[in-house]
Amino acid sequence: PYVLVVKRDFPPPHDLAGFVAEARRRPGITYGTPRVGTPGHLAGALLAHRAGIRLEHVPYRGGQDAARDVIAGNIDAAISTANTLRPLVEDGRAHGIALTSAERRGSLA
């Protein structure tokens, strides 16, 4: 599955409803994905469309690059594979917000 994470100092609550509320309060929240047209990019676009919010997509060469910028605080969020973003969530460098799977996956979301 893909996971949506936010940077460590993203305003709480750290769940999907809180993310959408913050995006309504502050349009243009940035989210990074590995390249344009990937499942993560499309998931972010679908979330923005369905929630009626405006998100700014930042394409990267790979998921690790997006993860690095979430940790550095250069972007607000990232959407990539669970394997790529799991270490950030497990060691507290980012907060897991949502998954693209039907069931929870431990600490990810």
Side-chain angles (χ1 to χ4, degrees):
Y2 280 70
V3 62
L4 167 63
V5 301
V6 294
K7 62 186 178 179
R8 192 165 59 184
D9 64 350
F10 195 84
H14 298 129
D15 58 20
L16 189 56
F19 181 82
V20 170
E22 182 66 12
R24 286 193 175 120
R25 189 183 73 72
R26 186 171 50 99
I29 285 179
T30 54
Y31 76 101
T33 69
R35 298 183 304 281
V36 172
T38 59
H41 176 209
L42 299 177
L46 182 62
L47 171 61
H49 176 74
R50 287 193 175 168
I53 57 177
R54 188 172 66 80
L55 300 174
E56 183 179 335
H57 179 240
V58 182
Y60 287 87
R61 295 180 79 182
Q64 291 295 334
D65 295 328
R68 188 172 29 255
D69 269 1
V70 166
I71 293 169
N74 297 329
I75 58 174
D76 297 302
I79 302 174
S80 191
T81 63
N83 289 339
T84 299
L85 298 176
R86 178 186 323 268
L88 278 66
V89 174
E90 289 179 346
D91 66 13
R93 294 180 288 168
H95 300 284
I97 298 293
L99 291 168
T100 60
S101 66
E103 62 274 340
R104 294 178 63 97
R105 300 279 294 231
S107 64
L108 287 175

